[in-house]
Amino acid sequence: QAKNLNDEAYVTMKGNIVKKIGNEKYLFKDNTGTIEIEIDDDDWNGLVVAPEDVVIIEGEVDKGWYDIEIEVDQIKVVNPAPQTSNK
């Protein structure tokens, strides 16, 4: 749905950050599909997020001539993946 919104529309999305695809660029996935997101290094606030972690991101739609991404203002972990143990 975010892909169909106007430029600079504010969105909140819940899903997973599945991989880093560039400098401050990541691929976000939820049950409706994938979209590129941008998270400035200082917006992480010390969070470490694994692809299995469920996160909520808030930010603005940024539509370019050929692509669309979400500029993330805030990120929080909702459901961290269970830690594995070697015991």
Side-chain angles (χ1 to χ4, degrees), residues 3-74:
K3 293 179 180 180
N4 297 322
L5 294 174
N6 292 328
D7 190 36
E8 298 184 6
Y10 201 78
V11 295
T12 300
M13 301 188 305
K14 182 177 178 180
N16 305 83
I17 299 173
V18 293
K19 69 177 177 177
K20 184 171 185 169
I21 55 177
N23 183 35
E24 299 184 341
K25 305 279 186 179
Y26 302 86
L27 189 62
F28 179 87
K29 181 178 182 182
D30 65 10
N31 58 357
T32 64
T34 59
I35 192 167
E36 187 175 310
I37 63 174
E38 178 181 343
I39 306 174
D40 292 339
D41 291 337
D42 56 347
D43 287 335
W44 282 101
N45 294 322
L47 282 178
V48 177
V49 176
E52 301 82 21
D53 294 335
V54 177
V55 297
I56 293 178
I57 60 171
E58 297 178 15
E60 293 181 5
V61 174
D62 182 20
K63 287 189 172 184
W65 286 103
Y66 303 106
D67 59 355
I68 183 170
E69 69 179 25
I70 306 298
E71 291 181 1
V72 176
D73 295 326
Q74 186 175 19

